[in-house]
Amino acid sequence: MTQPADSEHDLATQILIELYSEIPPPSKLVTGHFHSGGDYRVVRPDGVGSWYLLYTAAGTGQFQIGGDSLTLGHGNLVLVSPGTEHDYGTVGTYWESWWAHFQPRREWHAWLSLPQAMPGLSYVRLPRASETDRVVSAFGRLHRDAQRAGLSPTGDTELNLLEKSVAVELTMNGIEEVLLTAVASLRHTTQHLDARVQLVLDAITADPARQHTLTSLAGLAQISVSRLAHLFKEQVGDSVMNVIVALRLQRAAELLGATDMSVAQIARAVGFESPHYFSRQFGRRFGMSPSSHRKAVRNPELELY
């Protein structure tokens, strides 16, 4: 709870913190473009349930986690993993930023292993004008698509189900372009994923429903279980099993929208032995039950994300 303000300036800061600290549901795809003044700050001690992509177009901002801080200027891109503490705001008088909360597509997990500046927060500095121009252009397009789909704070257009689905996919394509631009920017300064980690990531992405274990995957990579666990977490940013569960849940969400399979059938199809455990994990990831998600996808009056 924010303490009572002692001055008009403190009151303005308090209002902004409360306004912008509203937590989006884990399953909701949300985008935005902020021109923020000196009082802008977001505080979420427990983070959010989605990935958060933030790009600084102008001015200066700062992200803090624990006792560490990262100052953000023009061309800086950060990617914050689910559950990571949020405490960020304007430094000085002005900060222009583009941002998106999203759940990644299955094939994106290899791209989410950007260099970590702090636990749970990856950071890329885009040094070339061609890269910053491309990112701003991509954010502008994805934000307009999100507005059309009603996924941004200012979006109010009502579309039919097909139009909304197309707008959502175009929004995700824009996020994908931003991520790939960041990955491409690092090609001369960072190494690719360790070949053994890439082998494991390819295996679980190709068939997440398979009953993978750390032992079987370590055997595939021909390294010890402890070494695999360490390398994978270090380079991908999450544990092997968490990534497998995330891939299974993403596939389940696709099946819920595209088929008439029962929840129990889908649970088994994506690799969960217990439908109850599947439903609990699905609710934790997407903020709603599998049945509610199916209704939301198929009913144009409800939000897709």
Side-chain angles (χ1 to χ4, degrees):
M1 178 67 70
T2 306
Q3 296 298 317
D6 295 326
S7 67
E8 291 183 3
H9 179 273
D10 290 338
L11 178 58
T13 301
Q14 174 185 337
I15 291 172
L16 282 164
I17 290 174
E18 292 177 350
L19 175 62
Y20 292 110
S21 293
E22 181 180 352
I23 299 177
S27 61
K28 189 170 179 62
L29 171 62
V30 191
T31 75
H33 181 205
F34 279 165
H35 295 269
S36 310
D39 290 327
Y40 175 71
R41 187 181 178 197
V42 170
V43 179
R44 300 184 184 116
D46 298 320
V48 298
S50 55
W51 289 83
Y52 182 45
L53 189 63
L54 177 69
Y55 174 75
T56 297
T60 308
Q62 187 176 74
F63 213 111
Q64 300 182 66
I65 298 178
D68 298 323
S69 64
L70 177 67
T71 299
L72 305 172
H74 171 69
N76 293 169
L77 184 76
V78 297
L79 179 64
V80 186
S81 62
T84 300
E85 175 185 355
H86 285 44
D87 186 347
Y88 61 91
T90 302
V91 174
T93 60
Y94 177 70
W95 186 25
E96 180 186 356
S97 60
W98 293 88
W99 54 268
H101 287 278
F102 66 95
Q103 294 291 345
R105 288 170 171 163
R106 284 181 294 166
E107 62 269 24
W108 289 6
H109 283 273
W111 309 338
L112 300 179
S113 56
L114 300 173
Q116 286 204 347
M118 295 182 281
L121 184 147
S122 300
Y123 165 83
V124 176
R125 182 180 68 86
L126 303 176
R128 290 171 282 273
S130 59
E131 296 168 345
T132 57
D133 290 347
R134 182 165 193 160
V135 165
V136 169
S137 176
F139 263 114
R141 283 184 280 106
L142 75 87
H143 186 51
R144 289 191 294 273
D145 289 324
Q147 287 179 310
R148 290 185 63 247
L151 299 172
S152 72
T154 56
D156 56 5
T157 302
E158 292 188 5
L159 305 178
N160 63 40
L161 181 58
L162 177 60
E163 291 172 327
K164 188 171 183 179
S165 297
V166 170
V168 168
E169 288 305 310
L170 289 172
T171 302
M172 293 294 284
N173 287 348
I175 294 174
E176 180 173 306
E177 182 176 353
V178 172
L179 289 171
L180 285 175
T181 301
V183 171
S185 179
L186 293 167
R187 69 188 183 277
H188 296 306
T189 57
T190 61
Q191 297 179 343
H192 295 292
L193 288 177
D194 183 286
R196 296 163 296 185
V197 172
Q198 187 66 63
L199 184 65
V200 169
L201 192 58
D202 289 345
I204 62 178
T205 302
D207 188 8
R210 186 172 180 175
Q211 294 305 306
H212 299 287
T213 66
L214 279 175
T215 300
S216 66
L217 292 170
L220 176 67
Q222 297 186 339
I223 55 177
S224 69
V225 169
S226 60
R227 182 60 176 159
L228 171 61
H230 173 77
L231 274 178
F232 196 95
K233 181 66 180 290
E234 180 182 62
Q235 296 193 15
V236 178
D238 205 347
S239 71
V240 176
M241 300 315 296
N242 281 350
V243 171
I244 291 173
V245 169
L247 290 169
R248 289 175 176 174
L249 292 174
Q250 188 62 44
R251 178 57 179 157
E254 296 168 2
L255 291 174
L256 284 164
T259 75
D260 291 321
M261 296 169 65
S262 69
V263 170
Q265 288 173 326
I266 289 175
R268 288 191 293 271
V270 300
F272 288 95
E273 295 182 358
S274 166
H276 177 71
Y277 178 72
F278 161 68
S279 296
R280 189 166 73 248
Q281 291 296 316
F282 191 95
R284 188 173 298 169
R285 172 58 66 100
F286 292 100
M288 64 180 74
S289 69
S291 298
S292 296
H293 178 86
R294 170 172 275 165
K295 291 178 182 177
V297 170
R298 296 186 175 187
N299 188 340
E301 300 300 318
L302 301 176
E303 291 184 327
L304 275 172
Y305 288 86

